[in-house]
Every structure is written in structure tokens, then in C-alpha cells.
Amino acid sequence: DKLVKINNSVFWGCEQLSNVIIGSECTEIGRYAFYSCDKLTNIVIPDAVSSIGANAFQDSGVDSVCIGMGIKSIASAAFGNCSIKKIVCKATTPPSIYDAFSNFNATVEVPVESLEIYQNHYYWGQFYIKAIGMPDEERNFSVQGVRYTVTVSQEEAVVSGNESNNDSIIIPGHVINGGTTYKVTGIKKIGANV
């Protein structure tokens, strides 16, 4: 028989667990499945997995995760208290999510055709989002203290930050970076800096 579900709490507290290969037939990761697995740092979730249960990887050592195309939901605190630096989410539709990560410091890579959907998502949009495989310097740049993010069209940019000490900034209709002219089409919701 093939493993189709990782049951609730099955590896809870396995402090020496450092590597897990989740089979391609698995469709669900249960609650607290890998809770407090300190040495587990990198996890690859196959395309067949559609849901990750609450607290599934909480308090583990996970710092990077690759989530397959089939993911539909990630439950509360699934990656709580993890120091995640990189998330690759291959799903073209952002999975439903609520408070699954402890902070928004990670870089999230998503399919290029879904870039703007993730950027405008109420939860995912709080992360730094880029297309899978796109170097950072091709997506973000600064001109005169204003940070811009290139949109998926590659012809437009949105204001994504204020790197100057000024209380106000002037937003032009077009901006030039590296010999390429981008039409400035909006301001990304980013908090108090813009």
C-alpha cells in the first residue's frame, strides 16, 4: 500500500529527524505531523499534497520549503516559529492560508503567470514575491530613493518602497533602469514607508 496521508502527530518531537522524502502519492499532511523536529531544515511537498494541517511543521528547523502544484490549503501555524528564508509554491492559484507562517521575512517564488495574483493576495502579498527562478536584481530596482518592482508583463513597474529619508516622493509616469523604460502603473501596499 502507498502512503496517502501523514497522520497527525506521527513524528512529533523526533529531534534527530533530519531528512524526509514524502512520497508522490501523499495527499495530506496532518496536524502536528513534524512538530518540533529540530533538525529537519528542508522540506519538499509533492504535487499530490492538497492540504497541510495546523502546526504540521511548527517549531521545527525548516528554513526552506518547496510546495507542489496541488496545494489547496495551509492551516494555521503550519510553519509557526520556523525561520523560513525561502518558499517555493508551484500552485498557480494561491492556496487558502491563514497565519501559517510566523513572519513575512521569506522570499516566495511562484509561477510567473501567477505573480500578480500572489502579490495582490491578502496574505501572500505580505511576502517578497518573485517568479520561480527570476534573479532578484531583474525584479526590483531603485531610482532616486524609490524602490520599484517589475510586474509580470515585464513592461511595467509599481512603486514598492521608499528608500530615502524623505517624507514624500515624486512618482513618475515612467522610470528607466538598465536601459529599459518601465511604465509606472501603481503603488504596492507595503505599510508606512510609502
Side-chain angles (χ1 to χ4, degrees):
D1 291 327
K2 297 186 182 193
L3 178 68
V4 295
K5 178 183 179 181
I6 298 175
N7 290 324
N8 297 342
S9 308
V10 70
F11 295 105
W12 179 317
C14 290
E15 295 173 2
Q16 299 306 312
L17 183 66
S18 62
N19 187 33
V20 170
I21 298 173
I22 300 172
S24 62
E25 303 292 323
C26 184
T27 61
E28 181 181 348
I29 298 173
R31 294 175 296 134
Y32 295 96
F34 297 96
Y35 182 86
S36 198
C37 293
D38 298 344
K39 294 194 175 167
L40 187 61
T41 59
N42 182 20
I43 194 78
V44 176
I45 297 170
D47 291 339
V49 173
S50 63
S51 68
I52 301 171
N55 313 91
F57 295 93
Q58 184 175 350
D59 291 334
S60 70
V62 173
D63 62 10
S64 76
V65 61
C66 180
I67 303 169
M69 293 185 291
I71 194 71
K72 302 286 184 234
S73 67
I74 303 173
S76 179
F79 294 92
N81 297 329
C82 294
S83 297
I84 299 206
K85 297 176 183 103
K86 181 178 179 180
I87 302 163
V88 175
C89 189
K90 296 179 179 180
T92 54
T93 300
S96 67
I97 191 168
Y98 175 76
D99 203 25
F101 299 91
S102 295
N103 61 60
F104 298 101
N105 297 330
T107 296
V108 178
E109 295 186 19
V110 300
V112 67
E113 66 271 19
S114 302
L115 195 58
E116 289 186 59
I117 297 168
Y118 277 87
Q119 288 172 334
N120 294 322
H121 190 272
Y122 73 95
Y123 189 88
W124 290 105
Q126 297 177 75
F127 289 97
Y128 168 61
I129 306 284
K130 70 178 196 171
I132 293 172
M134 178 183 269
D136 290 345
E137 60 274 8
E138 290 182 20
R139 180 151 149 52
N140 295 289
F141 62 91
S142 295
V143 175
Q144 297 179 338
V146 179
R147 187 172 57 245
Y148 297 90
T149 300
V150 177
T151 64
V152 71
S153 73
Q154 299 296 313
E155 297 171 358
E156 300 174 347
V158 295
V159 173
S160 58
N162 178 5
E163 296 175 348
S164 71
N165 291 325
N166 300 328
D167 291 334
S168 63
I169 58 174
I170 297 172
I171 301 172
H174 292 83
V175 65
I176 299 172
N177 182 56
T180 303
T181 300
Y182 299 95
K183 180 179 179 182
V184 179
T185 59
I187 300 173
K188 180 180 177 185
K189 180 181 174 187
I190 53 171
N193 289 344
V194 173

